[in-house]
Amino acid sequence: MKKIVERALLYDFYGELLTEHQKQIYEDVVFNDLSFSEVAEERGISRQGVHDLMKRCARILQGYEEKLGLVEKFLKTQEKVKEIHRLTREFRLTEDKELVFRIEELSAEISRL
């Protein structure tokens, strides 16, 4: 499951940088859950061609992530936002002023990302 989510996130962030052909094959395999054989038959290419193209796409997308780190930043931001939500719920119950300071710290970290 984690691999599927990782593939989807990489594609969401960097998929538009692939060629149209690469995007179609990648989407068929990852999002439409077609086998390499099914894609090969549908697209009129070999199963090995689909396999090679998927490996190439994975390398390309991972390369963009290594250079730009947008997925990592997104995931870190998501975690900080979850923590802010948790702290604000807790604050409503306790009105602990320390929680406000922690929320301010987190929001400042997010704005720096």
Short mmCIF file of all heavy atoms in Angstrom, two decimals, residues 47-110:
data_model
loop_
_atom_site.label_atom_id
_atom_site.label_comp_id
_atom_site.label_asym_id
_atom_site.label_seq_id
_atom_site.Cartn_x
_atom_site.Cartn_y
_atom_site.Cartn_z
N ARG A 47 5.40 -6.39 -23.70
CA ARG A 47 5.32 -6.38 -22.24
C ARG A 47 6.63 -5.85 -21.65
O ARG A 47 6.63 -5.08 -20.70
CB ARG A 47 5.04 -7.80 -21.73
CG ARG A 47 4.84 -7.87 -20.24
CD ARG A 47 4.89 -9.30 -19.75
NE ARG A 47 4.88 -9.34 -18.31
CZ ARG A 47 5.89 -9.00 -17.52
NH1 ARG A 47 7.02 -8.56 -18.04
NH2 ARG A 47 5.79 -9.07 -16.21
N GLN A 48 7.75 -6.25 -22.25
CA GLN A 48 9.05 -5.77 -21.80
C GLN A 48 9.17 -4.26 -21.99
O GLN A 48 9.74 -3.56 -21.16
CB GLN A 48 10.19 -6.48 -22.56
CG GLN A 48 11.57 -6.10 -22.07
CD GLN A 48 11.82 -6.53 -20.63
OE1 GLN A 48 11.47 -7.64 -20.23
NE2 GLN A 48 12.41 -5.65 -19.84
N GLY A 49 8.59 -3.74 -23.06
CA GLY A 49 8.59 -2.30 -23.31
C GLY A 49 7.85 -1.56 -22.21
O GLY A 49 8.29 -0.49 -21.76
N VAL A 50 6.72 -2.11 -21.78
CA VAL A 50 5.95 -1.50 -20.69
C VAL A 50 6.78 -1.54 -19.41
O VAL A 50 6.88 -0.55 -18.68
CB VAL A 50 4.59 -2.21 -20.49
CG1 VAL A 50 3.87 -1.67 -19.25
CG2 VAL A 50 3.72 -2.07 -21.73
N HIS A 51 7.38 -2.68 -19.14
CA HIS A 51 8.20 -2.85 -17.94
C HIS A 51 9.35 -1.82 -17.92
O HIS A 51 9.57 -1.13 -16.92
CB HIS A 51 8.76 -4.27 -17.89
CG HIS A 51 9.66 -4.51 -16.73
ND1 HIS A 51 11.03 -4.35 -16.81
CD2 HIS A 51 9.39 -4.89 -15.47
CE1 HIS A 51 11.56 -4.61 -15.63
NE2 HIS A 51 10.59 -4.95 -14.79
N ASP A 52 10.06 -1.71 -19.04
CA ASP A 52 11.18 -0.77 -19.13
C ASP A 52 10.71 0.67 -18.96
O ASP A 52 11.36 1.47 -18.27
CB ASP A 52 11.91 -0.92 -20.46
CG ASP A 52 12.65 -2.25 -20.60
OD1 ASP A 52 12.82 -2.94 -19.56
OD2 ASP A 52 13.04 -2.60 -21.73
N LEU A 53 9.58 1.00 -19.59
CA LEU A 53 9.07 2.36 -19.49
C LEU A 53 8.66 2.69 -18.05
O LEU A 53 8.90 3.80 -17.57
CB LEU A 53 7.88 2.55 -20.44
CG LEU A 53 7.49 4.01 -20.58
CD1 LEU A 53 7.39 4.38 -22.04
CD2 LEU A 53 6.17 4.26 -19.88
N MET A 54 8.07 1.74 -17.36
CA MET A 54 7.68 1.96 -15.96
C MET A 54 8.92 2.19 -15.09
O MET A 54 8.91 3.06 -14.22
CB MET A 54 6.85 0.78 -15.43
CG MET A 54 5.44 0.75 -15.96
SD MET A 54 4.48 2.20 -15.50
CE MET A 54 4.42 2.03 -13.72
N LYS A 55 9.96 1.42 -15.32
CA LYS A 55 11.19 1.62 -14.55
C LYS A 55 11.79 2.99 -14.84
O LYS A 55 12.23 3.69 -13.93
CB LYS A 55 12.20 0.51 -14.87
CG LYS A 55 11.85 -0.83 -14.25
CD LYS A 55 12.87 -1.88 -14.57
CE LYS A 55 14.06 -1.66 -13.68
NZ LYS A 55 15.02 -2.77 -13.72
N ARG A 56 11.76 3.38 -16.13
CA ARG A 56 12.29 4.68 -16.51
C ARG A 56 11.49 5.80 -15.87
O ARG A 56 12.04 6.77 -15.33
CB ARG A 56 12.28 4.82 -18.04
CG ARG A 56 13.03 6.04 -18.54
CD ARG A 56 13.13 6.11 -20.07
NE ARG A 56 13.29 4.83 -20.72
CZ ARG A 56 12.40 4.29 -21.57
NH1 ARG A 56 11.31 4.94 -21.90
NH2 ARG A 56 12.62 3.12 -22.12
N CYS A 57 10.17 5.69 -15.90
CA CYS A 57 9.31 6.71 -15.28
C CYS A 57 9.58 6.81 -13.78
O CYS A 57 9.65 7.91 -13.23
CB CYS A 57 7.83 6.39 -15.51
SG CYS A 57 7.27 6.66 -17.20
N ALA A 58 9.70 5.66 -13.13
CA ALA A 58 9.98 5.66 -11.69
C ALA A 58 11.29 6.38 -11.39
O ALA A 58 11.37 7.17 -10.45
CB ALA A 58 10.01 4.23 -11.16
N ARG A 59 12.31 6.13 -12.20
CA ARG A 59 13.61 6.79 -12.01
C ARG A 59 13.49 8.30 -12.24
O ARG A 59 14.05 9.10 -11.50
CB ARG A 59 14.67 6.20 -12.94
CG ARG A 59 15.29 4.93 -12.45
CD ARG A 59 16.57 4.58 -13.22
NE ARG A 59 16.41 4.63 -14.67
CZ ARG A 59 16.01 3.61 -15.43
NH1 ARG A 59 15.74 2.45 -14.88
NH2 ARG A 59 15.91 3.75 -16.75
N ILE A 60 12.75 8.66 -13.28
CA ILE A 60 12.57 10.09 -13.59
C ILE A 60 11.86 10.80 -12.45
O ILE A 60 12.31 11.85 -11.97
CB ILE A 60 11.78 10.26 -14.92
CG1 ILE A 60 12.63 9.81 -16.10
CG2 ILE A 60 11.31 11.70 -15.09
CD1 ILE A 60 11.84 9.67 -17.41
N LEU A 61 10.75 10.22 -12.00
CA LEU A 61 9.97 10.85 -10.93
C LEU A 61 10.77 10.93 -9.63
O LEU A 61 10.75 11.95 -8.93
CB LEU A 61 8.65 10.11 -10.72
CG LEU A 61 7.67 10.12 -11.90
CD1 LEU A 61 6.48 9.22 -11.62
CD2 LEU A 61 7.22 11.53 -12.22
N GLN A 62 11.48 9.85 -9.31
CA GLN A 62 12.30 9.85 -8.10
C GLN A 62 13.44 10.86 -8.21
O GLN A 62 13.79 11.53 -7.24
CB GLN A 62 12.87 8.44 -7.84
CG GLN A 62 13.52 8.29 -6.50
CD GLN A 62 12.59 8.61 -5.34
OE1 GLN A 62 11.45 8.15 -5.30
NE2 GLN A 62 13.05 9.41 -4.40
N GLY A 63 13.98 11.02 -9.41
CA GLY A 63 15.04 12.00 -9.62
C GLY A 63 14.55 13.42 -9.36
O GLY A 63 15.26 14.23 -8.75
N TYR A 64 13.34 13.71 -9.83
CA TYR A 64 12.77 15.04 -9.55
C TYR A 64 12.59 15.24 -8.05
O TYR A 64 12.87 16.31 -7.52
CB TYR A 64 11.43 15.22 -10.26
CG TYR A 64 11.53 15.44 -11.74
CD1 TYR A 64 10.79 14.68 -12.63
CD2 TYR A 64 12.36 16.44 -12.27
CE1 TYR A 64 10.87 14.89 -14.00
CE2 TYR A 64 12.45 16.66 -13.63
CZ TYR A 64 11.70 15.87 -14.49
OH TYR A 64 11.78 16.08 -15.85
N GLU A 65 12.12 14.20 -7.37
CA GLU A 65 11.93 14.32 -5.92
C GLU A 65 13.25 14.54 -5.21
O GLU A 65 13.34 15.34 -4.29
CB GLU A 65 11.21 13.08 -5.37
CG GLU A 65 11.05 13.08 -3.87
CD GLU A 65 10.28 14.27 -3.30
OE1 GLU A 65 9.58 14.98 -4.03
OE2 GLU A 65 10.39 14.49 -2.08
N GLU A 66 14.28 13.83 -5.63
CA GLU A 66 15.60 14.02 -5.01
C GLU A 66 16.12 15.44 -5.20
O GLU A 66 16.74 15.99 -4.30
CB GLU A 66 16.60 13.01 -5.58
CG GLU A 66 16.35 11.59 -5.10
CD GLU A 66 17.17 10.55 -5.85
OE1 GLU A 66 18.06 10.92 -6.64
OE2 GLU A 66 16.90 9.36 -5.63
N LYS A 67 15.84 16.03 -6.35
CA LYS A 67 16.31 17.38 -6.62
C LYS A 67 15.43 18.45 -5.98
O LYS A 67 15.93 19.46 -5.48
CB LYS A 67 16.36 17.62 -8.14
CG LYS A 67 17.45 16.83 -8.81
CD LYS A 67 17.43 16.99 -10.31
CE LYS A 67 18.48 16.08 -10.92
NZ LYS A 67 18.20 15.75 -12.29
N LEU A 68 14.12 18.25 -6.02
CA LEU A 68 13.20 19.30 -5.58
C LEU A 68 12.59 19.06 -4.19
O LEU A 68 12.28 20.01 -3.48
CB LEU A 68 12.07 19.46 -6.60
CG LEU A 68 12.53 19.81 -8.02
CD1 LEU A 68 11.37 19.77 -8.98
CD2 LEU A 68 13.20 21.17 -8.03
N GLY A 69 12.40 17.82 -3.81
CA GLY A 69 11.88 17.49 -2.48
C GLY A 69 10.47 17.97 -2.18
O GLY A 69 10.13 18.17 -1.02
N LEU A 70 9.65 18.13 -3.20
CA LEU A 70 8.30 18.66 -2.97
C LEU A 70 7.40 17.70 -2.21
O LEU A 70 6.60 18.12 -1.36
CB LEU A 70 7.64 19.03 -4.31
CG LEU A 70 8.33 20.13 -5.10
CD1 LEU A 70 7.63 20.34 -6.43
CD2 LEU A 70 8.39 21.43 -4.31
N VAL A 71 7.52 16.41 -2.48
CA VAL A 71 6.69 15.42 -1.78
C VAL A 71 7.08 15.39 -0.31
O VAL A 71 6.21 15.40 0.57
CB VAL A 71 6.82 14.02 -2.42
CG1 VAL A 71 6.09 12.97 -1.58
CG2 VAL A 71 6.29 14.03 -3.85
N GLU A 72 8.36 15.40 -0.03
CA GLU A 72 8.82 15.39 1.37
C GLU A 72 8.31 16.64 2.11
O GLU A 72 7.82 16.54 3.24
CB GLU A 72 10.34 15.34 1.42
CG GLU A 72 10.88 15.27 2.84
CD GLU A 72 12.40 15.25 2.89
OE1 GLU A 72 13.05 15.18 1.84
OE2 GLU A 72 12.92 15.32 4.01
N LYS A 73 8.40 17.80 1.48
CA LYS A 73 7.90 19.03 2.11
C LYS A 73 6.40 18.95 2.34
O LYS A 73 5.91 19.37 3.39
CB LYS A 73 8.23 20.24 1.24
CG LYS A 73 9.70 20.60 1.23
CD LYS A 73 9.98 21.74 0.27
CE LYS A 73 11.47 21.98 0.15
NZ LYS A 73 11.80 22.97 -0.88
N PHE A 74 5.69 18.42 1.37
CA PHE A 74 4.25 18.27 1.49
C PHE A 74 3.90 17.37 2.68
O PHE A 74 3.02 17.70 3.48
CB PHE A 74 3.66 17.68 0.20
CG PHE A 74 2.23 17.28 0.30
CD1 PHE A 74 1.22 18.23 0.30
CD2 PHE A 74 1.88 15.94 0.40
CE1 PHE A 74 -0.11 17.86 0.41
CE2 PHE A 74 0.56 15.56 0.51
CZ PHE A 74 -0.44 16.52 0.51
N LEU A 75 4.58 16.24 2.81
CA LEU A 75 4.29 15.31 3.90
C LEU A 75 4.62 15.91 5.26
O LEU A 75 3.88 15.73 6.23
CB LEU A 75 5.04 13.99 3.69
CG LEU A 75 4.59 13.17 2.47
CD1 LEU A 75 5.50 11.97 2.26
CD2 LEU A 75 3.13 12.74 2.61
N LYS A 76 5.72 16.66 5.33
CA LYS A 76 6.08 17.33 6.59
C LYS A 76 5.02 18.37 6.96
O LYS A 76 4.63 18.48 8.12
CB LYS A 76 7.45 18.00 6.48
CG LYS A 76 8.61 17.05 6.54
CD LYS A 76 9.92 17.80 6.42
CE LYS A 76 11.09 16.84 6.47
NZ LYS A 76 12.38 17.54 6.33
N THR A 77 4.57 19.11 5.97
CA THR A 77 3.53 20.12 6.21
C THR A 77 2.25 19.47 6.69
O THR A 77 1.61 19.94 7.62
CB THR A 77 3.27 20.94 4.94
OG1 THR A 77 4.49 21.59 4.56
CG2 THR A 77 2.19 21.98 5.15
N GLN A 78 1.90 18.36 6.05
CA GLN A 78 0.69 17.62 6.44
C GLN A 78 0.76 17.18 7.90
O GLN A 78 -0.22 17.30 8.64
CB GLN A 78 0.55 16.41 5.52
CG GLN A 78 -0.85 16.07 5.16
CD GLN A 78 -0.88 14.92 4.16
OE1 GLN A 78 0.02 14.09 4.06
NE2 GLN A 78 -1.97 14.86 3.43
N GLU A 79 1.91 16.69 8.33
CA GLU A 79 2.08 16.26 9.72
C GLU A 79 1.95 17.44 10.69
O GLU A 79 1.33 17.33 11.74
CB GLU A 79 3.43 15.56 9.92
CG GLU A 79 3.49 14.19 9.34
CD GLU A 79 2.44 13.26 9.91
OE1 GLU A 79 2.27 13.21 11.16
OE2 GLU A 79 1.76 12.59 9.11
N LYS A 80 2.52 18.56 10.33
CA LYS A 80 2.44 19.75 11.19
C LYS A 80 1.01 20.27 11.29
O LYS A 80 0.55 20.68 12.35
CB LYS A 80 3.39 20.84 10.69
CG LYS A 80 4.86 20.47 10.89
CD LYS A 80 5.78 21.54 10.41
CE LYS A 80 7.22 21.15 10.44
NZ LYS A 80 7.70 20.50 11.63
N VAL A 81 0.29 20.23 10.18
CA VAL A 81 -1.11 20.67 10.20
C VAL A 81 -1.94 19.73 11.08
O VAL A 81 -2.79 20.20 11.86
CB VAL A 81 -1.68 20.74 8.76
CG1 VAL A 81 -3.19 20.91 8.77
CG2 VAL A 81 -1.02 21.88 8.00
N LYS A 82 -1.69 18.43 11.01
CA LYS A 82 -2.40 17.48 11.88
C LYS A 82 -2.12 17.80 13.35
O LYS A 82 -3.02 17.75 14.19
CB LYS A 82 -1.97 16.05 11.57
CG LYS A 82 -2.55 15.50 10.31
CD LYS A 82 -2.05 14.08 10.07
CE LYS A 82 -2.46 13.56 8.72
NZ LYS A 82 -1.88 12.25 8.42
N GLU A 83 -0.87 18.12 13.64
CA GLU A 83 -0.49 18.46 15.02
C GLU A 83 -1.19 19.75 15.46
O GLU A 83 -1.67 19.86 16.60
CB GLU A 83 1.03 18.61 15.13
CG GLU A 83 1.54 18.99 16.49
CD GLU A 83 1.40 17.90 17.55
OE1 GLU A 83 0.97 16.79 17.23
OE2 GLU A 83 1.73 18.19 18.72
N ILE A 84 -1.28 20.73 14.59
CA ILE A 84 -1.99 21.97 14.91
C ILE A 84 -3.45 21.68 15.22
O ILE A 84 -4.00 22.19 16.20
CB ILE A 84 -1.85 23.01 13.77
CG1 ILE A 84 -0.43 23.58 13.76
CG2 ILE A 84 -2.88 24.13 13.92
CD1 ILE A 84 -0.12 24.45 12.55
N HIS A 85 -4.08 20.85 14.41
CA HIS A 85 -5.47 20.49 14.66
C HIS A 85 -5.64 19.80 16.02
O HIS A 85 -6.57 20.11 16.77
CB HIS A 85 -6.02 19.60 13.55
CG HIS A 85 -6.29 20.32 12.28
ND1 HIS A 85 -7.29 21.25 12.13
CD2 HIS A 85 -5.67 20.25 11.08
CE1 HIS A 85 -7.28 21.72 10.92
NE2 HIS A 85 -6.29 21.14 10.25
N ARG A 86 -4.72 18.89 16.31
CA ARG A 86 -4.78 18.19 17.60
C ARG A 86 -4.63 19.18 18.75
O ARG A 86 -5.38 19.15 19.73
CB ARG A 86 -3.70 17.12 17.68
CG ARG A 86 -3.81 16.23 18.92
CD ARG A 86 -2.61 15.32 19.07
NE ARG A 86 -1.37 16.03 19.36
CZ ARG A 86 -1.07 16.60 20.53
NH1 ARG A 86 -1.93 16.58 21.53
NH2 ARG A 86 0.09 17.21 20.70
N LEU A 87 -3.67 20.08 18.64
CA LEU A 87 -3.42 21.05 19.70
C LEU A 87 -4.60 22.02 19.88
O LEU A 87 -4.93 22.38 21.02
CB LEU A 87 -2.14 21.84 19.42
CG LEU A 87 -0.84 21.04 19.51
CD1 LEU A 87 0.32 21.86 18.97
CD2 LEU A 87 -0.58 20.58 20.92
N THR A 88 -5.22 22.42 18.79
CA THR A 88 -6.36 23.34 18.93
C THR A 88 -7.54 22.64 19.59
O THR A 88 -8.25 23.26 20.40
CB THR A 88 -6.79 23.94 17.57
OG1 THR A 88 -7.05 22.89 16.65
CG2 THR A 88 -5.74 24.87 17.03
N ARG A 89 -7.75 21.36 19.28
CA ARG A 89 -8.83 20.61 19.98
C ARG A 89 -8.53 20.52 21.47
O ARG A 89 -9.40 20.71 22.31
CB ARG A 89 -8.98 19.22 19.37
CG ARG A 89 -9.71 19.20 18.05
CD ARG A 89 -10.09 17.79 17.63
NE ARG A 89 -8.98 16.86 17.60
CZ ARG A 89 -8.17 16.66 16.56
NH1 ARG A 89 -8.36 17.34 15.44
NH2 ARG A 89 -7.19 15.79 16.61
N GLU A 90 -7.27 20.25 21.79
CA GLU A 90 -6.86 20.14 23.19
C GLU A 90 -7.00 21.50 23.88
O GLU A 90 -7.45 21.58 25.03
CB GLU A 90 -5.41 19.65 23.26
CG GLU A 90 -4.95 19.32 24.66
CD GLU A 90 -3.54 18.76 24.67
OE1 GLU A 90 -3.13 18.09 23.71
OE2 GLU A 90 -2.84 19.02 25.68
N PHE A 91 -6.64 22.58 23.18
CA PHE A 91 -6.75 23.91 23.76
C PHE A 91 -8.19 24.25 24.12
O PHE A 91 -8.46 24.85 25.16
CB PHE A 91 -6.19 24.97 22.80
CG PHE A 91 -6.30 26.37 23.33
CD1 PHE A 91 -5.47 26.81 24.33
CD2 PHE A 91 -7.28 27.23 22.84
CE1 PHE A 91 -5.57 28.10 24.84
CE2 PHE A 91 -7.39 28.51 23.33
CZ PHE A 91 -6.54 28.96 24.34
N ARG A 92 -9.12 23.87 23.27
CA ARG A 92 -10.54 24.15 23.55
C ARG A 92 -10.99 23.51 24.86
O ARG A 92 -11.82 24.06 25.56
CB ARG A 92 -11.42 23.60 22.41
CG ARG A 92 -11.42 24.49 21.21
CD ARG A 92 -12.50 24.05 20.23
NE ARG A 92 -12.06 24.36 18.89
CZ ARG A 92 -12.00 23.51 17.89
NH1 ARG A 92 -12.39 22.28 18.05
NH2 ARG A 92 -11.58 23.91 16.71
N LEU A 93 -10.38 22.37 25.17
CA LEU A 93 -10.76 21.67 26.40
C LEU A 93 -10.04 22.21 27.63
O LEU A 93 -10.61 22.25 28.72
CB LEU A 93 -10.47 20.17 26.26
CG LEU A 93 -11.24 19.43 25.17
CD1 LEU A 93 -10.73 18.01 25.04
CD2 LEU A 93 -12.73 19.44 25.46
N THR A 94 -8.79 22.62 27.46
CA THR A 94 -7.98 22.99 28.63
C THR A 94 -7.65 24.47 28.73
O THR A 94 -7.33 24.95 29.80
CB THR A 94 -6.64 22.23 28.61
OG1 THR A 94 -5.89 22.66 27.47
CG2 THR A 94 -6.85 20.74 28.58
N GLU A 95 -7.67 25.16 27.61
CA GLU A 95 -7.26 26.57 27.53
C GLU A 95 -5.84 26.78 28.09
O GLU A 95 -5.54 27.82 28.67
CB GLU A 95 -8.27 27.49 28.20
CG GLU A 95 -9.60 27.49 27.48
CD GLU A 95 -10.50 28.63 27.88
OE1 GLU A 95 -9.99 29.69 28.26
OE2 GLU A 95 -11.72 28.43 27.81
N ASP A 96 -4.99 25.80 27.86
CA ASP A 96 -3.58 25.86 28.27
C ASP A 96 -2.84 26.79 27.32
O ASP A 96 -2.72 26.54 26.13
CB ASP A 96 -2.98 24.44 28.22
CG ASP A 96 -1.53 24.39 28.61
OD1 ASP A 96 -0.92 25.45 28.89
OD2 ASP A 96 -0.98 23.28 28.63
N LYS A 97 -2.30 27.87 27.84
CA LYS A 97 -1.63 28.88 27.03
C LYS A 97 -0.36 28.35 26.35
O LYS A 97 0.05 28.84 25.31
CB LYS A 97 -1.28 30.12 27.87
CG LYS A 97 -2.48 30.78 28.51
CD LYS A 97 -3.46 31.30 27.48
CE LYS A 97 -4.59 32.00 28.17
NZ LYS A 97 -5.84 31.98 27.51
N GLU A 98 0.27 27.33 26.92
CA GLU A 98 1.45 26.73 26.30
C GLU A 98 1.12 26.13 24.94
O GLU A 98 1.95 26.13 24.04
CB GLU A 98 2.04 25.64 27.21
CG GLU A 98 2.78 26.17 28.42
CD GLU A 98 4.01 26.97 28.02
OE1 GLU A 98 4.78 26.52 27.14
OE2 GLU A 98 4.20 28.07 28.58
N LEU A 99 -0.10 25.66 24.80
CA LEU A 99 -0.51 25.09 23.52
C LEU A 99 -0.52 26.15 22.43
O LEU A 99 -0.18 25.88 21.28
CB LEU A 99 -1.89 24.44 23.64
CG LEU A 99 -1.98 23.21 24.54
CD1 LEU A 99 -3.42 22.75 24.68
CD2 LEU A 99 -1.11 22.09 24.01
N VAL A 100 -0.89 27.37 22.77
CA VAL A 100 -0.89 28.46 21.80
C VAL A 100 0.52 28.71 21.29
O VAL A 100 0.75 28.90 20.08
CB VAL A 100 -1.50 29.75 22.40
CG1 VAL A 100 -1.36 30.92 21.45
CG2 VAL A 100 -2.95 29.52 22.78
N PHE A 101 1.50 28.67 22.18
CA PHE A 101 2.89 28.88 21.78
C PHE A 101 3.36 27.76 20.84
O PHE A 101 4.05 28.02 19.86
CB PHE A 101 3.81 28.99 23.00
CG PHE A 101 3.55 30.20 23.84
CD1 PHE A 101 3.16 30.09 25.16
CD2 PHE A 101 3.68 31.48 23.28
CE1 PHE A 101 2.91 31.22 25.93
CE2 PHE A 101 3.43 32.62 24.06
CZ PHE A 101 3.04 32.48 25.38
N ARG A 102 2.96 26.54 21.14
CA ARG A 102 3.34 25.41 20.28
C ARG A 102 2.68 25.54 18.91
O ARG A 102 3.31 25.28 17.88
CB ARG A 102 2.95 24.08 20.95
CG ARG A 102 3.30 22.87 20.13
CD ARG A 102 4.80 22.69 19.95
NE ARG A 102 5.05 21.58 19.06
CZ ARG A 102 5.91 21.59 18.06
NH1 ARG A 102 6.67 22.64 17.85
NH2 ARG A 102 6.06 20.56 17.28
N ILE A 103 1.44 25.97 18.87
CA ILE A 103 0.75 26.18 17.61
C ILE A 103 1.45 27.27 16.80
O ILE A 103 1.66 27.12 15.59
CB ILE A 103 -0.73 26.55 17.86
CG1 ILE A 103 -1.48 25.33 18.40
CG2 ILE A 103 -1.40 27.06 16.58
CD1 ILE A 103 -2.86 25.64 18.95
N GLU A 104 1.87 28.33 17.46
CA GLU A 104 2.60 29.39 16.77
C GLU A 104 3.92 28.87 16.19
O GLU A 104 4.30 29.22 15.07
CB GLU A 104 2.86 30.56 17.71
CG GLU A 104 1.63 31.37 18.03
CD GLU A 104 1.87 32.44 19.10
OE1 GLU A 104 2.89 32.37 19.81
OE2 GLU A 104 1.02 33.33 19.20
N GLU A 105 4.62 28.03 16.95
CA GLU A 105 5.88 27.44 16.47
C GLU A 105 5.64 26.61 15.22
O GLU A 105 6.38 26.72 14.24
CB GLU A 105 6.51 26.55 17.55
CG GLU A 105 7.17 27.27 18.67
CD GLU A 105 7.68 26.31 19.74
OE1 GLU A 105 7.46 25.06 19.61
OE2 GLU A 105 8.32 26.78 20.68
N LEU A 106 4.62 25.76 15.27
CA LEU A 106 4.32 24.90 14.13
C LEU A 106 3.95 25.71 12.89
O LEU A 106 4.40 25.42 11.79
CB LEU A 106 3.19 23.93 14.47
CG LEU A 106 3.56 22.79 15.42
CD1 LEU A 106 2.31 22.07 15.91
CD2 LEU A 106 4.50 21.81 14.74
N SER A 107 3.12 26.72 13.08
CA SER A 107 2.71 27.53 11.92
C SER A 107 3.91 28.27 11.34
O SER A 107 4.02 28.43 10.13
CB SER A 107 1.58 28.47 12.28
OG SER A 107 1.97 29.40 13.25
N ALA A 108 4.84 28.69 12.19
CA ALA A 108 6.05 29.35 11.71
C ALA A 108 6.91 28.37 10.93
O ALA A 108 7.48 28.70 9.88
CB ALA A 108 6.85 29.94 12.87
N GLU A 109 7.00 27.12 11.40
CA GLU A 109 7.76 26.09 10.68
C GLU A 109 7.15 25.84 9.32
O GLU A 109 7.86 25.69 8.32
CB GLU A 109 7.80 24.80 11.49
CG GLU A 109 8.69 24.87 12.71
CD GLU A 109 8.61 23.61 13.55
OE1 GLU A 109 8.24 22.53 13.02
OE2 GLU A 109 8.92 23.69 14.76
N ILE A 110 5.84 25.80 9.25
CA ILE A 110 5.15 25.56 7.97
C ILE A 110 5.44 26.70 7.00
O ILE A 110 5.73 26.46 5.83
CB ILE A 110 3.63 25.39 8.17
CG1 ILE A 110 3.34 24.07 8.87
CG2 ILE A 110 2.90 25.47 6.84
CD1 ILE A 110 1.91 23.91 9.31
#
